């Protein structure tokens, strides 16, 4: 499966957020989007998930234009862990995760045995089965984020978009979740596109990186090629040392203390 | 199936109530009225029953409307009047009363209904932005537009009261809400709207659950947010508008009932909406019975619900927050 963005531009009112983005994402790979605040990373995911429509250009999933699909059809192909993980009403964790099955459950019917099994399995994999009957709005930020993560996994889609999905998780859970999605990428040939702020995690977990600055792609490809002192200086404006690390088996970035 | 069982359950439960109330009333009125069964029949079927049924169904409709608004606006403190629907209806009714159109009896409800609908579309228009349609209908924009429009309209109502010399008491009394002299027509009108509204809200109940996850998450789970927001807002406002045009402004039912039921059943709209409806019917019927039969003078029901509902709500709110 291939996701292709052709000459995408997007603007809020008159502020250009993304300009002439051309890129392709192929299943079986883990992609990370990196870039400074306000560089258009989240907007790019919003376009792929169909939340916004591009002002110009087209997005195709295997030759099918995203615009020609209904919201429900998109929901069966693309899932999103967004940053809005604050939930306004006291739903139980179990109910929230079950909402991930929404696109598959017909109106007026109850979740079937398969749905319940799926939810149970995913909750176990995400380590939240003990929270099952707790109220979602009584949990800590990291726990809630894991619930939202589990909900997206239950959606059982080929494409998974992660918008800073680990921002509140401790390192143990971050690695656990990353391992979970990376395994599904390799074993089930899915596609993950993740917005990450931690360059080192991005480098060691991703197959490819996409570097954004002010709505334009500054560099893309293997982390080996994308992460250099020069690009980091150019995009983030910080001085860094970039070297290959034996333990991470990838390039890692260090920031000299002043 | 759900719909049928609900409507059955709904009519059934208040019916039991009504029968017992009616029974008590007929017996206690034995001395006052002439001892003929024809009088009973007239009293029950021409006066009491339409009033009681209208009252129950208005309570039900207000509660359904309240649950919808709380779900869409993601705010447990929203109610049918947050969007200024009541102010619009009140303004329309005030104009009708002021122009002395009340001679033709339908025109006050008709004006109220028109006022409510106009206000709704004005609020939607204000909060909708063609450039950014997704965030345009956000709950903040809607609530803010509702408050602005309601503020303008209440100033308008004050002005109408000011220039209305003799009719001022009529306006004030209408605004306080009452079920006195309701007819079968009122009942059927509200019933039809309630059934339509209930069907729509049950149809979209699960989407309404998903909306509480936030706009992006709901969209990524296959909810057509804009479409559903508008459909449910119009449904909720229509219900509120019909209620206001029939009975005047009755506060707190739409706010209190769904909120209280949520404590009992949890936030799942598939249970919340039908249960709120039943509870709303009960509550308003209870309140109306008190004003009609228990209190020495009939006080406007809007005043009673606010006076009793307000403190109860304060208590629940406080207790729940510090649990």
């Amino acid at each position: 499966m291939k996701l292709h963005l052709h000459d995408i531009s997007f603007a809020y009112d008159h502020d250009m957020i993304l300009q002439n983005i051309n890129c392709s994402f192929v299943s079986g790979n883990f992609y990370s989007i990196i870039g400074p605040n306000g560089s258009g990373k989240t907007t790019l995911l919003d376009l792929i998930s169909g939340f916004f429509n591009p002002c110009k250009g087209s997005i195709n999933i295997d030759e099918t234009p995203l615009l020609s699909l209904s919201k429900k059809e998109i929901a069966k192909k693309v899932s999103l862990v967004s940053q809005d993980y604050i939930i306004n009403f006291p739903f139980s964790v179990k109910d929230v995760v079950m909402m991930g099955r929404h696109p598959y459950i017909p109106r007026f019917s109850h979740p079937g045995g398969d749905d319940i099994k799926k939810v149970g399995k995913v909750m176990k994999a995400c380590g939240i089965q003990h929270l099952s009957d707790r109220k979602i709005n009584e949990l800590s930020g990291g726990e809630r984020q894991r619930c939202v993560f589990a909900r997206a996994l239950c959606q059982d889609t080929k494409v998974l978009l992660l918008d800073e999905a680990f921002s509140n998780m401790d390192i143990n859970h971050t690695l656990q979740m990353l391992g979970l999605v990376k395994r599904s990428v390799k074993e089930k040939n899915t596609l993950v596109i993740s917005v990450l702020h931690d360059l080192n995690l991005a480098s060691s977990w991703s197959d490819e990186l996409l570097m954004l600055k002010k709505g334009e792609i500054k560099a893309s490809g293997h982390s080996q090629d994308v992460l250099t002192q020069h690009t980091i200086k150019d995009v983030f404006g910080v001085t860094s040392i970039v070297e290959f690390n034996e333990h991470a088996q990838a390039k890692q970035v260090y920031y000299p203390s002043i | 199936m759900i719909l049928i069982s609900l409507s059955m359950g709904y009519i059934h439960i208040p019916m039991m109530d009504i029968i017992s109330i009616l029974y008590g009333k007929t017996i206690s009125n034995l001395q006052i009225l002439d001892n003929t069964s024809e009088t009973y029949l007239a009293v029950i079927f021409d006066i009491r029953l339409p009033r009681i049924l209208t009252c129950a169904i208005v309570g039900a409709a207000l509660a359904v409307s309240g649950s919808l608004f709380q779900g869409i606006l993601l705010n447990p403190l929203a109610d049918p009047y947050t969007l200024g629907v009541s102010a619009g209806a009140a303004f329309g009714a005030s104009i009708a009363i002021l122009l002395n159109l009340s001679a033709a009896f339908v025109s006050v409800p008709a004006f109220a209904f028109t006022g409510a609908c106009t206000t709704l579309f004005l609020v939607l228009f204000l909060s909708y932005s063609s450039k950014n349609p997704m965030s345009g209908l956000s709950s903040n924009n809607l609530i803010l537009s509702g408050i602005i429009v309601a503020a303008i309209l209440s100033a308008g109502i004050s002005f109408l009261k000011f220039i209305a010399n003799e009719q001022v008491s009529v306006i004030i009394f209408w605004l306080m809400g009452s079920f006195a002299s309701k007819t079968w027509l009122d009942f059927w009108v509200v019933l039809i709207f309630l059934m339509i509204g209930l069907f729509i809200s049950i149809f979209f109940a699960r989407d309404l659950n998903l909306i509480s996850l936030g706009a992006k998450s709901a969209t990524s789970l296959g909810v057509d947010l804009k479409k559903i927001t508008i459909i449910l807002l119009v449904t909720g406002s229509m219900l509120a508008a019909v209620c206001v045009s029939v009975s005047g402004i009755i506060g707190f039912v739409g706010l209190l009932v769904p909120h209280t039921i949520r404590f009992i059943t949890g936030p799942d709209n598939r249970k919340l909406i039908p249960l709120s409806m039943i509870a709303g019917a009960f509550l308003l019927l209870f309140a109306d019975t008190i004003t009609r039969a228990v209190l020495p003078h009939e006080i406007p029901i809007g005043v009673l619900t606010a006076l009793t509902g307000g403190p109860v709500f304060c208590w629940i709110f406080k207790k729940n927050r510090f649990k």
Side-chain angles (χ1 to χ4, degrees):
Chain A
M1 199 215 44
K2 196 173 161 193
L3 187 71
H4 185 68
L5 278 68
H6 178 71
D7 204 21
I8 294 290
S9 293
F10 183 80
Y12 273 119
D13 293 334
H14 296 291
D15 302 332
M16 266 313 211
I17 307 291
L18 292 170
Q19 279 183 62
N20 309 331
I21 302 283
N22 278 295
C23 56
S24 290
F25 302 97
V26 183
S27 61
N29 288 304
F30 187 119
Y31 294 85
S32 286
I33 304 176
I34 53 178
N37 302 136
S39 56
K41 306 183 295 289
T42 297
T43 309
L44 192 62
L45 293 191
D46 288 343
L47 290 170
I48 299 173
S49 72
F51 185 69
F52 290 128
N53 293 328
C55 302
K56 205 183 98 203
S58 64
I59 301 173
N60 292 315
I61 300 180
D62 280 339
E63 311 305 317
T64 317
L66 201 64
L67 270 176
S68 71
L69 299 172
S70 75
K71 290 272 187 287
K72 204 154 234 173
E73 286 168 323
I74 296 176
K76 290 182 186 174
K77 291 179 189 289
V78 184
S79 55
L80 166 74
V81 179
S82 70
Q83 290 182 60
D84 56 357
Y85 56 90
I86 291 169
I87 292 165
N88 295 277
F89 290 109
F91 284 101
S92 73
V93 168
K94 204 168 50 196
D95 289 346
V96 170
V97 179
M98 184 55 89
M99 287 177 188
R101 301 299 298 163
H102 176 79
Y104 301 96
I105 305 172
R107 244 175 239 292
F108 298 123
S109 51
H110 287 279
D114 288 351
D115 298 314
I116 294 167
K117 225 187 279 168
K118 176 100 199 165
V119 166
K121 210 174 119 195
V122 170
M123 283 177 68
K124 202 162 176 200
C126 294
I128 53 169
Q129 75 273 39
H130 63 288
L131 302 172
S132 177
D133 292 314
R134 291 274 298 278
K135 300 247 183 348
I136 189 88
N137 49 358
E138 289 167 1
L139 302 181
S140 76
E143 288 171 324
R144 215 176 307 159
Q145 226 168 9
R146 263 148 64 209
C147 298
V148 173
F149 205 94
R151 189 190 70 211
L153 291 183
C154 276
Q155 224 174 314
D156 215 5
T157 52
K158 272 281 181 194
V159 183
L160 174 64
L161 309 174
L162 305 173
D163 191 0
E164 291 177 40
F166 313 103
S167 59
N168 281 302
M169 290 186 204
D170 58 45
I171 188 66
N172 180 353
H173 286 115
T174 305
L175 294 176
Q176 195 187 334
M177 297 297 134
L178 276 167
L180 208 62
V181 292
K182 182 86 182 199
R183 256 199 313 280
S184 111
V185 164
K186 294 303 168 197
E187 286 165 13
K188 295 185 191 160
N189 195 34
T190 59
L191 166 61
V192 172
I193 308 172
S194 173
V195 166
L196 275 176
H197 272 303
D198 187 323
L199 299 184
N200 291 334
L201 276 182
S203 163
S204 50
W205 286 88
S206 322
D207 298 301
E208 289 201 22
L209 292 181
L210 197 71
M211 213 176 215
L212 282 183
K213 186 193 178 187
K214 289 186 180 155
E216 287 177 80
I217 298 177
K218 282 286 162 189
S220 67
H222 269 277
S223 63
Q224 298 283 20
D225 311 322
V226 172
L227 280 187
T228 63
Q229 284 170 18
H230 176 73
T231 53
I232 290 171
K233 180 81 192 169
D234 175 34
V235 169
F236 293 98
V238 295
T239 314
S240 62
I241 297 155
V242 183
E243 52 187 42
F244 188 82
N245 184 297
E246 284 285 322
H247 306 289
Q249 280 298 309
K251 269 191 175 177
Q252 297 287 284
V253 185
Y254 305 95
Y255 312 99
S257 52
I258 304 150
Chain B
M1 265 307 287
I2 295 170
L3 192 73
I4 293 167
S5 73
L6 277 175
S7 63
M8 297 284 285
Y10 164 70
I11 290 181
H12 200 66
I13 299 162
M15 266 303 218
M16 299 304 283
D17 237 35
I18 288 162
I19 288 166
S20 62
I21 290 165
L22 274 180
Y23 209 79
K25 281 301 283 181
T26 38
I27 288 169
S28 67
N29 282 353
L30 261 171
Q31 293 87 2
I32 308 160
L33 297 162
D34 226 340
N35 249 351
T36 58
S37 50
E38 276 150 56
T39 326
Y40 295 163
L41 269 175
V43 166
I44 291 171
F45 284 100
D46 297 339
I47 304 167
R48 300 251 162 84
L49 207 52
R51 173 177 181 154
I52 286 166
L53 287 177
T54 309
C55 170
I57 207 126
V58 164
L62 282 174
V64 170
S65 167
S67 340
L68 288 179
F69 277 101
Q70 293 180 7
I72 304 162
L73 301 178
L74 299 179
N75 189 337
L77 294 177
D79 82 343
Y81 304 144
T82 316
L83 292 188
V85 173
S86 79
F91 188 72
S94 304
I95 289 181
I97 295 168
L98 183 70
L99 298 178
N100 227 341
L101 294 170
S102 44
F105 223 81
V106 246
S107 59
V108 174
F111 264 68
F113 189 77
T114 315
C117 296
T118 316
T119 312
L120 171 69
F121 287 109
L122 188 65
V123 168
L124 282 178
F125 170 76
L126 271 180
S127 47
Y128 184 81
S129 123
S130 55
K131 281 177 193 153
N132 200 349
M134 267 314 172
S135 59
L137 284 175
S138 71
S139 56
N140 279 349
N141 281 351
L142 284 166
I143 292 175
L144 200 58
S145 318
I147 289 172
I148 296 166
V149 173
I152 298 171
L153 285 171
S154 26
I157 294 167
S158 300
F159 178 70
L160 289 179
K161 278 187 203 161
F162 177 72
I163 57 171
N165 294 321
E166 290 127 53
Q167 289 100 332
V168 71
S169 60
V170 185
I171 294 180
I172 291 173
F173 197 75
W174 190 91
L175 289 181
M176 286 190 290
S178 169
F179 284 106
S181 66
K182 286 301 143 209
T183 60
W184 284 106
L185 180 70
D186 295 314
F187 168 71
W188 291 117
V189 168
V190 186
L191 181 69
I192 289 166
F193 273 91
L194 177 66
M195 286 302 131
I196 298 169
L198 183 67
F199 178 75
I200 295 173
S201 31
I202 297 290
F203 193 78
F204 291 114
R206 210 167 64 194
D207 303 73
L208 196 57
N209 284 351
L210 293 175
I211 287 176
S212 65
L213 300 176
K216 277 184 196 175
S217 301
T219 308
S220 77
L221 284 164
V223 176
D224 194 338
L225 200 62
K226 203 170 78 185
K227 191 180 91 187
I228 285 167
T229 306
I230 291 181
I231 290 176
L232 292 181
L233 272 184
V234 170
T235 309
S237 304
M238 286 299 164
L239 284 175
V242 170
C243 291
V244 173
S245 62
V246 165
S247 61
I249 292 171
I250 297 172
F252 273 99
V253 176
L255 172 65
L256 185 69
V257 170
H259 207 70
T260 314
I261 299 296
R262 195 174 289 117
F263 291 145
I264 302 165
T265 64
D268 188 341
N269 286 295
R270 283 169 294 180
K271 294 182 211 148
L272 181 67
I273 292 173
L275 283 174
S276 294
M277 186 178 79
I278 295 168
F282 262 119
L283 182 75
L284 204 56
L285 189 55
F286 180 71
D288 185 55
T289 310
I290 287 179
T291 74
R292 187 166 53 87
V294 179
L295 295 177
H297 291 286
E298 183 164 335
I299 63 163
I301 191 166
V303 175
L304 186 79
T305 53
L307 277 179
T308 51
V312 171
F313 183 76
C314 291
W315 177 69
I316 292 172
F317 181 64
K318 191 82 181 165
K319 192 177 141 220
N320 209 60
R321 290 218 10 225
F322 294 95
K323 200 164 62 179

